[in-house]
Amino acid sequence: MTVYDNGPLLVRGDFEIHTQDGAVVDRNRATMALCRCGRSAIAPLCDGNHKLGHRGAEKHLG
Ligand code: FES
């Protein structure tokens, strides 16, 4: 697994991803990108929305 600054976790190798209720997440690629910013519309997978800004880096105005 590789952690990318302000981006996803890239997971390679032999693994399965399960939702919290036990369902297996379809795996259609050798490398999977797991969202860790909370912005993905296809969670738990990354859809690139982390580029809008990582939640941990958000600035709160007002
Ligand atoms: S890490 Fe890419 S959308 Fe969340």
Side-chain angles (χ1 to χ4, degrees), residues 10-37:
L10 289 192
V11 186
R12 300 175 177 93
D14 186 21
F15 62 89
E16 283 187 338
I17 300 171
H18 298 255
T19 63
Q20 63 184 358
D21 58 0
V24 176
V25 175
D26 285 340
R27 182 177 175 190
N28 55 3
R29 299 178 186 168
T31 301
M32 301 289 283
L34 301 179
C35 176
R36 64 186 188 102
C37 75

Side-chain angles (χ1 to χ4, degrees), residues 7-8 34-40 46-50:
L34 301 179
C35 176
R36 64 186 188 102
C37 75
R39 293 181 184 274
S40 176
C46 169
D47 66 359
N49 274 328
H50 58 269

